[in-house]
Amino acid sequence: MSTLIRHATIIAMDETHGSKPFVGDILVAGDRIKAIGPDLGPQTADTVIDGRDRLVMPGLVNGHLHSGEALFKGRYDNMPLELWMLYCYPILGGRPPSDRLIYLRSMVVAMESLKTGVTTVVDDVYELGGQSMEQLAQVFQAYDDAGLRANVSGHIMDRPFLDTIPFAHEMLPADLRAKAGDLATPALDDYLDFCKAAAKRFHDRSGRLRFMIAPSAPQRCTEPLMLAADELARAIGSPFHTHILETKTQAVTGPEFHGKTLIRYMHDLGLLHAGTTIAHSIWVTDEDIALMGDAGCSIVHNVISNQKLGAGIAPLRRLLDAGVNVALGSDGICSNDTPRMFDVMHAAGLLHSVTSPDYDTWVSASEVLACATIKGARSALLGHETGSLEAGKKADLLILNLNTAPFIPRNDLRNHLVYCENGSSIEQVMVNGEVVVKDGKLLRVNEADLLGELREAWAAYLPVHAAIEQENAVFHPHFAAIHKRCTSMDVGINRYGSDMPAWKGHNRRAG
């Protein structure tokens, strides 16, 4: 099948045009862009689209996502990461949802992503109690059915839990230390065997899906696992996708555990390189940033999640200027509460203007667009396939109606996309050369039926999860004390939005 889009306004995000709009044609043949240019002349195609008053741009890339949190969307508020994880990623009593519920939670993420212009997601999937191959298969099946492009991981942690949090052994009572100490950790060989089998089963499925290697974080994974995971990632062409320095507690973690920052620790292990993608990178020092830039690694800036969890403000301008490849991500679907990347672009375009009065350093709309498209694709090691509109690349693109309210009056289209648009102007979404969304309707799946089934399945699972939350609430006051201790320490940098206020003598919780 072939499609010809004629006389459209195009933002290609390629090396020639960058984000500068131009008028031209796009010819799609099969799953790839065959030609693109100001005027392709007479062409024969199965479908011809009049592109006048239409904007064509690359599909958005969500560079870091946890789809497993989709069941907890809208459930939590006013908790920093170390407390929020007690309920979303509980220590005790984890009872995984059914395989069907895993499929449905993945599908709701896929459906909302596609309808709001996201054509590629990088999904770091964690399952309570450890991930089975069939659980992973449900995620791949949902994304395959919906028509999304995705890297999907098997999230792994192999350090004993209390060894991952500073001062936990010291500040938790003996009974809770004993409960946490009883938790089993996965064996390295079992993890590697799982990853190899998953890559063999899922790599390049439908020309859109790949398995990804994603050790959780350097403080949560042993050195042998991190090194072996990196070796395997290089062998199969996967990103080495991990989390580093999201919170101030993690800024304390490096010096407490290793006598150095976590980025320096990664560097000294040889784990900083062009295939490394780091989620967050907020509490990085100037030396960390230089090491990351020299290595040519990527970070994923999860600006909305960082705000909701009170993690801090990433030094985005310094990271960009150092040569770090910066992608954008939603992060988890209950620390952001949506996978909508137009929201993330809007927040990224605004937040960093309050970090300095030097407006020459503020992040521009063009830079934000690059982070949400081509740089996102590079962070997923998919930059050769998607992220820009170029002949030979996969046809992952959006067609937006320029006669809608977000584009009226029509000024700088880049500003409109970052500051005005929310996905409501999207008329068509194409992934791998196939139209998967048209006029707000998903073409591959029945959205209403799937959402109805998910509501029923969640109602049945909710009492199970509520009981798990209650069981893990016993850790809350002790983790609150650890959070307070860590955030009160001087780590030589401040990534909060203002000077940190004095701690209050109470812990206010919303009723």
Side-chain angles (χ1 to χ4, degrees), residues 74-80 83 87 308 476 506-511:
R75 190 163 181 82
Y76 307 118
D77 197 13
N78 285 359
M79 287 189 287
L83 297 179
Y87 305 100
K308 181 168 184 181
H476 190 113
H506 63 283
N507 183 18
R508 181 181 61 83
R509 299 289 302 279

Side-chain angles (χ1 to χ4, degrees), residues 68-91 128 304-305 307-310 332-338 458 461-473 476 509-511:
E69 296 177 26
L71 297 178
F72 313 131
K73 182 165 59 175
R75 190 163 181 82
Y76 307 118
D77 197 13
N78 285 359
M79 287 189 287
L81 177 80
E82 287 76 23
L83 297 179
W84 165 85
M85 288 186 71
L86 292 174
Y87 305 100
C88 191
Y89 297 92
I91 303 167
L128 296 177
I304 294 179
S305 173
Q307 291 180 77
K308 181 168 184 181
L309 296 177
I333 307 301
C334 77
S335 64
N336 182 325
D337 299 278
T338 169
W458 170 241
Y461 184 72
L462 175 58
V464 174
H465 185 70
I468 294 171
E469 290 175 327
Q470 186 173 4
E471 183 177 4
N472 284 271
H476 190 113
R509 299 289 302 279

Side-chain angles (χ1 to χ4, degrees), residues 200-399:
K200 183 176 180 179
R201 179 172 175 180
F202 300 118
H203 244 22
D204 207 32
R205 178 171 173 175
S206 302
R208 293 183 279 104
L209 306 176
R210 292 181 63 80
F211 180 73
M212 180 178 72
I213 306 298
S216 178
Q219 73 273 19
R220 300 177 190 140
C221 298
T222 61
E223 288 183 19
L225 185 141
M226 295 288 280
L227 293 168
D230 182 61
E231 182 179 358
L232 180 57
R234 293 173 189 258
I236 68 173
S238 162
F240 180 80
H241 192 100
T242 191
H243 301 69
I244 306 180
L245 291 170
E246 180 178 359
T247 67
K248 190 173 181 182
T249 297
Q250 293 170 15
V252 171
T253 299
E256 287 292 325
F257 287 6
H258 307 294
K260 62 184 80 172
T261 71
L262 290 174
I263 292 293
R264 169 57 75 176
Y265 172 72
M266 289 282 288
H267 171 272
D268 292 350
L269 288 177
L271 296 176
L272 284 186
H273 53 78
T276 302
T277 296
I278 296 167
H280 303 293
S281 185
I282 299 172
W283 290 84
V284 286
T285 66
D286 288 345
E287 181 189 34
D288 292 337
I289 294 170
L291 291 173
M292 295 160 70
D294 290 344
C297 67
S298 297
I299 70 121
V300 186
H301 183 36
N302 304 289
V303 57
I304 294 179
S305 173
N306 295 345
Q307 291 180 77
K308 181 168 184 181
L309 296 177
I313 302 174
L316 192 58
R317 170 52 60 202
R318 276 180 274 177
L319 288 159
L320 289 167
D321 288 350
V324 177
N325 181 66
V326 177
L328 296 180
S330 67
D331 201 10
I333 307 301
C334 77
S335 64
N336 182 325
D337 299 278
T338 169
R340 293 191 301 266
M341 289 301 293
F342 275 105
D343 294 0
V344 175
M345 285 197 295
H346 193 176
L350 294 174
L351 178 63
H352 300 283
S353 299
V354 303
T355 61
S356 170
D358 183 358
Y359 49 84
D360 288 336
T361 69
W362 295 355
V363 179
S364 70
S366 291
E367 289 176 305
V368 171
L369 285 170
C371 293
T373 55
I374 185 59
K375 291 189 174 186
R378 289 171 184 160
S379 76
L381 299 190
L382 296 173
H384 62 294
E385 293 278 45
T386 190
S388 62
L389 303 182
E390 302 180 60
K393 281 196 170 185
K394 296 281 192 175
D396 296 352
L397 57 84
L398 314 179
I399 303 176

Side-chain angles (χ1 to χ4, degrees), residues 26-45:
I26 301 175
L27 178 63
V28 175
D31 62 354
R32 295 187 183 271
I33 297 171
K34 183 176 181 180
I36 182 170
D39 185 357
L40 297 182
Q43 296 284 342
T44 300

Side-chain angles (χ1 to χ4, degrees), residues 52 380 400 511:
R52 288 173 293 184
L400 296 94

